[in-house]
Amino acid sequence: MWNHEYTGETTAAPEAVWAVLKDIDDWARWDTSMEAVSLLGAFEVGGKVSMTPTGQEPIVSVITDIQDGVRYADETEFEGVVLRFSHTLSPRGDGGTRVVHRLEISGPQADRVGPELGPAITEDFPQAMAALLARAVDLAAGTGTDGATGGTTGGGAR
């Protein structure tokens, strides 16, 4: 197995961050690694999401966990690996939010594929996190200030 986490914090309340995450059809506006993202059906466990990474073919992920206002997770299976992505929100004492974005690569080919594929996928986590949090601040406050900070809290093969 291979996994990586990236943590960011924002002054925006968890509800504002959740509103951005939940609006899957809008992800490509703030996640610059995506050409297009669309929800295929309902926003519920078992629902599907079509994602077109920049310069690549579309992939379809399955929503595996939704805890309203707290956690969103999906997974994609291909070529002997399962990619599990999650965003977990925690309220801060000052009304802001801490967000952990995690990728876990498992499956029969994970030990072979993970160390190469994982860093390629997660290299944009800092930019994507900053954009997510900036969008949440904009949504909550209607300002251009991003109010977001981020930092790596782990990574690599484990």
Side-chain angles (χ1 to χ4, degrees), residues 42-123:
F43 182 72
E44 61 187 21
V45 172
K48 295 185 179 176
V49 178
S50 174
M51 299 181 199
T52 306
T54 302
Q56 298 179 33
E57 293 297 314
I59 58 173
V60 175
S61 297
V62 176
I63 299 171
T64 58
D65 190 15
I66 296 174
Q67 295 174 37
D68 194 39
V70 176
R71 188 165 193 274
Y72 168 85
D74 62 46
E75 72 178 37
T76 306
E77 294 185 41
F78 74 98
E79 298 180 18
V81 296
V82 177
L83 306 176
R84 290 185 179 91
F85 291 89
S86 65
H87 286 86
T88 304
L89 287 56
S90 302
R92 296 188 330 191
D94 65 357
T97 308
R98 180 174 200 249
V99 180
V100 177
H101 187 187
R102 179 178 174 83
L103 168 61
E104 178 182 293
I105 301 175
S106 62
Q109 299 298 318
D111 290 339
R112 183 181 66 78
V113 174
E116 182 177 330
L117 182 62
I121 292 172
T122 60
E123 72 182 351

Side-chain angles (χ1 to χ4, degrees), residues 140-155:
T143 68
T145 305
D146 86 6
T149 61
T152 302
T153 61

